[in-house]
């Protein structure tokens, strides 16, 4: 029923949070802070606040707000009673902390310390996407999904306030945010607005699950056959670029778990090298990168156990690859703006696409 609970003081600091299911970003409290600003007095903050995806139900006790996050409609009085029980367990007494704290250690932003200084101010972002796909023997896509992340490396002095915008943000599904993201700004404008932590952190993770938006960057022509009552078979695969937006596909590896009746393989490759382990029956072809002028192929004979029945089904091909400077979803950063500081930082964005679980059925 209650998804998350945030404890907030009168200064607007979230100093304690508890999640019973998945983690809800602190940015959901922006709706509460907005209602708090409109209220003439802390006692007048509405106890129930409706947001696009949640309900915020809160009480005010001993100079603290107890704010619960609810995802479905529930009787508010039931939740309020529960919050009062929680508040009863807190014994609010005097603090032993002195009035003076060391400078440069604390700020009103929980994830960023004050007084950060750098000689070179830099903000770099890595957009990394992995394609999970299943391709059937005819080359049609059975399943395709992109799992993406944006990792940040922020080395900026002071207390910078950043805004990161995209050319096409609406293709993103199921986005998970770092707590620094202002969720309300994302909901209304599809802009990532945040005061960043110092150093390396994951800004967002996301999915692109609509199959018509998932480009398949490689294709495989394959012919794998085993004859009945025969001690040999044929193996022939060729790999080529498909929807790669003009970028080079590199680091290609094809792994095939051959049937148990396979004794050995005598193959010839036009590119790269292959190995076959007769114990595990795993064929590994290290292709390297594709040049469209000459497509890499691997073909030859498969030696089978004499008298063994023909394999019931052909093996699947598991493919790994990497494409630099490309987000296969088409996601592109439009611009990064900085507010609150006067210097001009170095900024950069790198893109990379990798195969996740990428399988071609034969």
């Amino acid at each position: 029923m209650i998804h998350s609970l945030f404890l907030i003081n009168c200064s607007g600091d979230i100093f304690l949070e508890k999640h019973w299911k998945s983690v809800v970003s602190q940015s959901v409290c922006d709706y509460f802070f907005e209602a708090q600003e409109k209220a003439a007095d802390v006692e007048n903050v509405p106890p129930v606040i409706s947001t696009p995806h949640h309900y915020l139900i809160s009480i005010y006790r001993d100079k603290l707000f107890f704010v619960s996050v609810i995802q479905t409609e529930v009787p508010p009085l039931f939740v309020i009673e529960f919050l009062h029980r929680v508040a009863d367990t807190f014994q609010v007494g005097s603090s032993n902390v002195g009035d003076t704290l060391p400078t440069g250690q604390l700020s009103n932003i929980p994830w960023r310390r004050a007084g950060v200084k750098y000689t070179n101010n830099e903000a770099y972002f890595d957009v990394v996407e992995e394609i999970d796909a299943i391709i059937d023997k005819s080359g049609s896509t059975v399943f395709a999904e992109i799992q993406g992340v944006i990792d940040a490396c922020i080395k900026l002095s002071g207390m910078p306030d950043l805004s990161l915008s995209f050319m096409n943000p609406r293709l993103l599904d199921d986005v998970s945010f770092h707590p620094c993201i202002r969720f309300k700004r994302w909901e209304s404008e599809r802009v990532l607005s945040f005061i960043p932590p110092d150093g390396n952190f994951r800004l967002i993770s996301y999915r692109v699950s609509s199959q018509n938006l998932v480009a398949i960057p490689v294709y495989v022509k394959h012919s794998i056959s085993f004859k009945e009552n025969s001690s040999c078979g044929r193996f022939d695969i060729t790999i080529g670029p498909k929807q790669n937006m003009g970028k080079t596909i590199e680091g290609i590896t094809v792994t095939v778990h051959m049937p148990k009746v396979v004794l050995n393989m005598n193959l010839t490759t036009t590119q790269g090298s292959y190995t076959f382990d007769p114990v595990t029956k795993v064929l590994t072809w290290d292709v390297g990168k594709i040049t469209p002028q000459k497509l890499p192929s691997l073909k030859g004979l498969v030696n089978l156990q004499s008298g063994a029945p023909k394999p019931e089904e052909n093996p699947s091909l598991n493919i790994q690859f990497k494409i630099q400077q490309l987000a296969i979803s088409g996601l592109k950063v439009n611009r990064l703006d900085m507010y609150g500081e006067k210097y001009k930082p170095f900024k950069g964005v790198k893109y990379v696409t990798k195969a996740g679980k990428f399988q071609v059925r034969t």
Side-chain angles (χ1 to χ4, degrees), residues 57 66 89 105 117 129 147 184 208 225 227 275 332:
I57 300 178
F66 294 74
T89 64
Q105 299 299 313
K117 289 184 180 180
E129 294 190 341
Q147 307 277 353
K184 197 169 182 186
V208 179
S225 60
K227 293 181 181 178
T275 58
K332 286 185 179 178

Side-chain angles (χ1 to χ4, degrees), residues 36-297:
Q36 187 182 14
E37 287 176 8
K38 291 179 180 177
D41 187 77
V42 290
E43 303 282 356
N44 295 330
V45 176
V48 180
I49 299 168
S50 176
T51 79
H53 299 293
H54 305 90
Y55 294 97
L56 304 182
I57 300 178
S58 65
I59 64 168
Y60 181 68
R61 285 269 303 269
D62 298 314
K63 298 183 180 180
L64 292 178
F65 288 100
F66 294 74
V67 181
S68 62
V69 181
I70 316 291
Q71 286 192 316
T72 56
E73 287 193 32
V74 295
L77 290 177
F78 186 83
V79 178
I80 289 171
E81 174 64 22
F82 171 78
L83 294 177
H84 278 292
R85 295 285 180 90
V86 172
D88 289 341
T89 64
F90 282 80
Q91 298 296 319
V92 182
S94 60
S95 171
N96 294 323
V97 180
D99 293 333
T100 305
L101 290 167
T103 59
Q105 299 299 313
L106 300 176
S107 74
N108 59 358
I109 308 297
W111 51 83
R112 186 177 180 88
R113 61 190 174 90
V116 179
K117 289 184 180 180
Y118 285 101
T119 304
N120 296 317
N121 291 284
E122 305 168 333
Y124 297 115
F125 298 89
D126 290 332
V127 180
V128 182
E129 294 190 341
E130 286 195 358
I131 310 178
D132 296 332
I134 298 174
I135 313 299
D136 69 15
K137 62 174 70 176
S138 67
S140 300
T141 302
V142 177
F143 166 82
E145 185 175 85
I146 295 170
Q147 307 277 353
V149 299
I150 298 180
D151 289 329
C153 178
I154 306 294
K155 296 180 179 179
L156 298 175
S157 303
M159 198 64 68
D161 200 326
L162 304 180
S163 289
L164 187 70
S165 61
F166 302 95
M167 302 285 282
N168 42 3
R170 300 202 177 272
L171 59 83
L172 303 182
D173 299 323
D174 194 18
V175 185
S176 297
F177 303 94
H178 187 278
C180 69
I181 301 286
R182 296 180 179 101
F183 183 63
K184 197 169 182 186
R185 178 90 184 271
W186 170 260
E187 279 204 323
S188 60
E189 300 176 42
R190 286 295 188 264
V191 170
L192 295 177
S193 174
F194 57 100
I195 294 174
D198 184 39
N200 297 295
F201 65 98
R202 178 150 294 171
L203 186 64
I204 65 169
S205 59
Y206 59 90
R207 279 189 315 129
V208 179
S209 56
S210 178
Q211 282 195 191
N212 61 338
L213 294 175
V214 179
I216 304 297
V218 297
Y219 71 87
V220 180
K221 289 182 180 178
H222 48 81
S223 176
I224 302 174
S225 60
F226 307 105
K227 293 181 181 178
E228 198 73 56
N229 301 319
S230 175
S231 61
C232 68
R234 294 287 306 175
F235 185 95
D236 186 346
I237 60 174
T238 300
I239 190 165
K242 193 177 180 183
Q243 294 169 289
N244 61 330
M245 290 73 168
K247 302 292 184 181
T248 301
I249 305 172
E250 58 189 29
I252 301 170
T253 304
V254 181
T255 305
V256 189
H257 291 264
M258 298 299 290
K260 292 181 180 179
V261 296
V262 173
L263 293 175
N264 217 323
M265 304 182 73
N266 185 16
L267 307 175
T268 303
T269 178
T270 61
Q271 182 177 317
S273 60
Y274 81 92
T275 58
F276 176 74
D277 187 329
V279 178
T280 61
K281 313 297 184 186
V282 174
L283 166 68
T284 304
W285 180 23
D286 187 355
V287 182
K289 65 181 179 180
I290 297 178
T291 51
Q293 293 78 18
K294 189 177 182 183
L295 300 180
S297 65

Side-chain angles (χ1 to χ4, degrees), residues 28-39 45-46 49 184:
V28 75
C29 295
D30 288 350
Y31 295 98
F32 175 80
F33 294 139
E34 187 178 74
Q36 187 182 14
E37 287 176 8
K38 291 179 180 177
V45 176
I49 299 168
K184 197 169 182 186

